[in-house]
Amino acid sequence: DQIRALYNLFVDKDCTMVEVNPLAEDTDGNLIAADAKIGFDDNAEFRHKDIFDQRDHTQEDPREVAAAKWDLNYIGLDGNIGCMVNGAGLAMSTMDIISLNGGSPANFLDVGGGAKVEQIKAAFEIITSDPAVKAILVNIFGGIMKCDIIAEGIIEASRELDLKVPVVVRLEGTNVERGKQLLEESGLDLITADDLDDAATKAVASIA
């Protein structure tokens, strides 16, 4: 019955995890959940408002909370090179290339495939809120995401936030030539790169 109840909980409440550990037994043979951990699928929030209303944001990284408000995926790390990438796979490879070049990524930040200029600006604000960040690497492969939109966001963020750290930009894909043109004509001190390895090398060198 208890296993069935755990299964029903997992399915009915759209859980990503239901863990009971430790499971204790008292002197009468009754099983007791001495501790438990339950995770819920964020995509199912609309079905379980009563559960999500109990969420305590004070127990979370404020940068992750801010990112979620802008539909950005952010995870803080311990390095000093901020990363802004579209796509989880590209984000992982970007962090790997930074490490291979002797650097250390400060975060995982995926802007997704349809970010707007305002989201790009918000992403810069979140990245630069980490005092450990000494440089930012923007690595965008434009499929659904258009490189000129990314470029506009980078330019607006650089001007409005008065960025004090080097920004290395690698763009490839849809509207890439327009994106590069916008960056070149912006008059901002942005570092452009031809490919991911070149971008990582320049990001590491910018803080050496």
Side-chain angles (χ1 to χ4, degrees), residues 9-200:
L9 169 67
F10 185 89
V11 174
D12 294 344
K13 300 301 183 182
D14 293 293
C15 297
T16 56
M17 174 183 67
V18 176
E19 175 185 331
V20 178
N21 184 24
L23 183 66
E25 182 179 359
D26 66 15
T27 55
D28 295 324
N30 298 310
L31 293 176
I32 301 170
D35 194 12
K37 183 183 292 185
I38 304 175
F40 301 94
D41 186 349
D42 290 340
N43 295 311
E45 180 175 356
F46 70 97
R47 279 199 291 263
H48 308 291
K49 194 173 185 302
D50 58 326
I51 294 174
F52 281 84
D53 282 346
Q54 300 178 57
R55 186 171 183 173
D56 185 358
H57 291 298
T58 65
Q59 299 299 310
E60 303 177 47
D61 185 329
R63 296 168 298 180
E64 294 182 15
V65 174
K69 290 179 180 177
W70 286 97
D71 200 23
L72 304 170
N73 295 312
Y74 176 94
I75 299 174
L77 302 173
D78 297 327
N80 56 9
I81 298 178
C83 303
M84 184 191 305
V85 186
N86 66 321
L90 190 59
M92 296 298 290
S93 60
T94 299
M95 293 190 293
D96 286 343
I97 295 296
I98 288 173
S99 298
L100 286 172
N101 278 276
S104 181
N107 64 271
F108 169 105
L109 194 153
D110 174 13
V111 299
K116 304 294 189 293
V117 170
E118 291 76 14
Q119 288 172 292
I120 302 303
K121 288 162 58 180
F124 270 102
E125 290 179 350
I126 293 166
I127 291 173
T128 55
S129 69
D130 181 354
V133 169
K134 304 303 180 187
I136 299 174
L137 193 163
V138 180
N139 182 27
I140 299 295
F141 183 84
I144 299 174
M145 169 61 69
K146 296 179 180 179
C147 292
D148 55 329
I149 298 298
I150 290 290
E152 290 174 9
I154 293 170
I155 292 167
E156 286 198 27
S158 298
R159 288 173 175 161
E160 292 186 17
L161 301 177
D162 190 24
L163 297 178
K164 303 297 185 183
V165 299
V167 178
V168 180
V169 183
R170 181 259 181 164
L171 301 177
E172 191 60 65
T174 305
N175 294 352
V176 63
E177 294 305 324
R178 175 57 180 161
K180 290 181 177 180
Q181 181 184 2
L182 289 171
L183 295 177
E184 291 172 0
E185 295 175 352
S186 69
L188 297 169
D189 189 19
L190 301 169
I191 303 169
T192 58
D194 296 325
D195 54 45
L196 177 51
D197 190 57
D198 182 39

